[in-house]
Amino acid sequence: MSFVSLRTSSLTLATEVGEAPAGLTEFWIIAGYLLLLILLGFFASRLFTGTKSDYQLASHSIGPFLLLMSIFGTTMTAFALLGSTGEAYKEGIGVYGMLASSSGIIHSLCFFLVGIRLWSFGKRYGYATQIQFFRDRLDSDLIGLLLFPILVSLVIPYLLIGVMGSGTVIQTMTAGAFPDVQRFVTESPATSGGFPKEFGSLVVCCVVLSYVFFGGMRGTAWANAFQTIVFMVLGVVTFCVIASRLGGEESLLDNLRKLGEAIPEDKATRVEMSKTKFFSYLLIPLSVGMFPHLFQHWLTAKSAKSFRLSVVAHPLFIMIVWVPCVLIGVWATSDLIPANIPLPKNPNAVLTVLVKNLTGPILGGLLTAGVLAAIMSSLDSQFLCIGTMFTNDIATHYAKEGRFTDRQEVMLTRGFIIAIVALTYWLSLFESKSVFTLGVWCFTGFASLFPLVVAAVYWRGLTKHGAFACVLATIGAWLYFFREAGYGANRTYTIDLLGHEVMPVAAIFAMSAIALVGVSLVTSPPKEETLRKFFSDDII
Amino acid sequence: MLRFIWPLVILLLILHQDNWFWDDGTLVFGFIPVGLFYHACISVAAATTWFLVVLFCWPKGLDEKVSHESTKGEQSV
């Protein structure tokens, strides 16, 4: 029986016996979850003191646990649940080493080496954005004008992935809930009768906007912590349920053994994976050092000690989320998958299809909430960050001193957040499948700018000309390779570097670092007063 | 302090490139492919390394210094 007839027959049967239509339970669970988030934002807003520092940075009051949860939630997007399963389905177990264990090493390295130093500068000199730091450190106003459009342009596709992904997930999981609403009927039975994706995206945008608008950074941190717990717990529960349904044995261990033995050889090893490509993937996690939204989260820390838990627990949290998803992905390639579950062509939909067919509507609804949690815990920080950048790096930076009161700056930030949410939603309405392939290109861009932030905090010899050369080399090389990859259309695009297959990030990163060092060595360094400001003590 | 961190991180990065398990499909505990198990162990090793860094290489007195300087800055404003 095909997937189409399975869904149609279950829908007909449900209607005949007077049960709720398929997808309706999931719909109400999702609605309840979104309502909970709005309430959370409302409670967070009651603690808002009304100042700009409180709105943008929660008055530097975030302790170790909230910092860990908010940073982890921000770095884990929908890719952590859906993408990890899909990539493992396609490539095998190697994706864990390629994307997860490498991030465990590199992310914590960035938090420790870059995050703490930037936090100390931010707290001393009152920064809320990366650009404020770079302008001061390099004695250059122009570096802000160059970086601003680049950082915003790299974040927007990332935002689009979340907004579009949330709509698609809601529509798929609620398919069949509204069979009588003509507007909700689609050609594909996998989505027909589901809450339309443009409405789903709109609802998610409005929910995120509500708690970011009212709660600011505090609301964002609370929501992130809550959502991180939700998607971690639900990920593990889903893993156990799917193992039990696919294995059909008594105990979890017996199920795991049966499923383990069924994994095809090519998925249980990395025989089809290039060793040098795997190695070059190590550069991708360096992107966290340049994410503007993560910079803002670092500045919320109450003290340097607040970073300790994040530095230690981050690799373990990645493991807790990724190992179950990777195993589910490789199980899906085994012959234990029932013939009546037609696996989709799009690997990212593998987890959703397994959940929908192997678990009940309640777990299906809860898992959808978990996926939305992963998406929204990144979206909120990115919206807040772009609003903060527009306010601090453009509006107030170029206005006369004293032009805006503190309260007006809060209103400006909120206004910019509404504008960016509206713009992102509007862009998401234009169906563009290629936007999903842009994710890795965004990470490549941020990772290639990493030499800039490391040099800014550790190298006295960095000059503004060196910084310009680094940014221009990065963007030039990025555009070149992006065009070569058919503007993201070629999803498996790699380059040949000295006879080895590597990701484009390896070449762009090398050019960025060479330009930065080369130009800095032949141009005059910043003023001694500036260097004293940033290198007066040996922090790390 | 950096001289203590770099050797540990470099060792982790070398261990991360596990060419020795590349085409080994052995199941550890009868259910987890050794390539995946090994990299889960790398995650645990990374957490342990960072725990040691926090214990022995954490910048001393940073909070007091930053708090003192930010108070001084606020007063001068």
Side-chain angles (χ1 to χ4, degrees), chain A residues 300-341:
Chain A
T300 64
K302 192 192 288 181
S303 62
K305 289 190 183 86
S306 302
F307 279 84
R308 287 177 173 177
L309 189 59
S310 298
V311 168
V312 176
H314 195 80
L316 297 177
F317 274 32
I318 293 177
M319 183 182 74
I320 292 168
V321 172
W322 276 71
V323 169
C325 290
V326 169
L327 279 174
I328 293 174
V330 291
W331 292 343
T333 61
S334 74
D335 51 14
L336 287 179
I337 296 290
N340 61 4
I341 300 180

Side-chain angles (χ1 to χ4, degrees), chain A residues 234-251:
Chain A
L234 289 173
V236 174
V237 171
T238 306
F239 171 76
C240 294
V241 173
I242 288 181
S244 147
R245 298 286 154 83
L246 284 178
E249 301 290 329
E250 285 286 305
S251 71

Side-chain angles (χ1 to χ4, degrees), chain A residues 157-235:
Chain A
Y158 201 178
L159 278 168
L160 275 173
I161 295 167
V163 171
M164 291 167 78
S166 58
T168 307
V169 168
I170 292 176
Q171 186 177 35
T172 310
M173 292 305 287
T174 58
F178 306 100
D180 304 327
V181 182
Q182 197 53 39
R183 173 74 181 80
F184 293 3
V185 174
T186 63
E187 275 180 28
S188 165
T191 51
S192 190
F195 198 63
K197 66 179 173 190
E198 59 274 23
F199 292 175
S201 295
L202 180 64
V203 169
V204 165
C205 280
C206 290
V207 170
V208 174
L209 178 63
S210 72
Y211 68 76
V212 175
F213 186 92
F214 291 110
M217 179 51 94
R218 188 173 284 101
T220 302
W222 282 20
N224 275 3
F226 172 66
Q227 303 203 81
T228 304
I229 294 168
V230 168
F231 76 74
M232 286 180 79
V233 170
L234 289 173

Side-chain angles (χ1 to χ4, degrees), chain A residues 184-409:
Chain A
F184 293 3
V185 174
T186 63
E187 275 180 28
S188 165
T191 51
S192 190
F195 198 63
K197 66 179 173 190
E198 59 274 23
F199 292 175
S201 295
L202 180 64
V203 169
V204 165
C205 280
C206 290
V207 170
V208 174
L209 178 63
S210 72
Y211 68 76
V212 175
F213 186 92
F214 291 110
M217 179 51 94
R218 188 173 284 101
T220 302
W222 282 20
N224 275 3
F226 172 66
Q227 303 203 81
T228 304
I229 294 168
V230 168
F231 76 74
M232 286 180 79
V233 170
L234 289 173
V236 174
V237 171
T238 306
F239 171 76
C240 294
V241 173
I242 288 181
S244 147
R245 298 286 154 83
L246 284 178
E249 301 290 329
E250 285 286 305
S251 71
L252 178 64
L253 193 59
D254 288 341
N255 286 319
L256 293 178
R257 285 188 171 144
K258 189 174 172 184
L259 287 160
E261 283 161 10
I263 302 171
E265 182 74 12
D266 61 323
K267 303 296 178 197
T269 62
R270 281 162 283 173
V271 283
E272 289 174 6
M273 196 174 273
S274 152
K275 286 177 184 167
T276 46
K277 183 182 169 186
F278 181 88
F279 182 68
S280 64
Y281 252 97
L282 269 177
L283 291 170
I284 296 281
L286 288 174
S287 51
V288 299
M290 270 305 287
F291 279 159
H293 47 287
L294 212 55
F295 177 92
Q296 201 173 348
H297 270 292
W298 287 338
L299 292 188
T300 64
K302 192 192 288 181
S303 62
K305 289 190 183 86
S306 302
F307 279 84
R308 287 177 173 177
L309 189 59
S310 298
V311 168
V312 176
H314 195 80
L316 297 177
F317 274 32
I318 293 177
M319 183 182 74
I320 292 168
V321 172
W322 276 71
V323 169
C325 290
V326 169
L327 279 174
I328 293 174
V330 291
W331 292 343
T333 61
S334 74
D335 51 14
L336 287 179
I337 296 290
N340 61 4
I341 300 180
L343 289 167
K345 279 186 190 157
N346 176 7
N348 290 336
V350 167
L351 184 65
T352 321
V353 169
L354 289 181
V355 167
K356 203 158 173 82
N357 286 278
L358 293 172
T359 69
I362 293 179
L363 185 60
L366 288 172
L367 184 79
T368 314
V371 173
L372 292 178
I375 293 174
M376 290 191 288
S377 61
S378 303
L379 277 182
D380 50 13
S381 307
Q382 291 159 344
F383 282 140
L384 179 63
C385 159
I386 294 185
T388 304
M389 284 168 70
F390 267 108
T391 307
N392 295 358
D393 300 332
I394 302 292
T396 56
H397 181 77
Y398 290 107
K400 271 189 196 164
E401 207 174 325
R403 164 73 180 76
F404 299 111
T405 64
D406 208 50
R407 193 164 283 273
Q408 282 172 327
E409 288 190 32

Side-chain angles (χ1 to χ4, degrees), chain A residues 141-161:
Chain A
D141 197 56
L142 211 56
I143 191 77
L145 279 182
L146 178 66
L147 272 177
F148 183 83
I150 292 170
L151 295 177
V152 172
S153 307
L154 287 173
V155 171
I156 283 185
Y158 201 178
L159 278 168
L160 275 173
I161 295 167

Side-chain angles (χ1 to χ4, degrees), chain A residues 449-469:
Chain A
L449 287 170
F450 183 73
L452 177 64
V453 70
V454 169
V457 294
Y458 285 105
W459 188 34
R460 297 169 65 97
L462 171 69
T463 68
K464 64 180 172 191
H465 300 101
F468 276 110

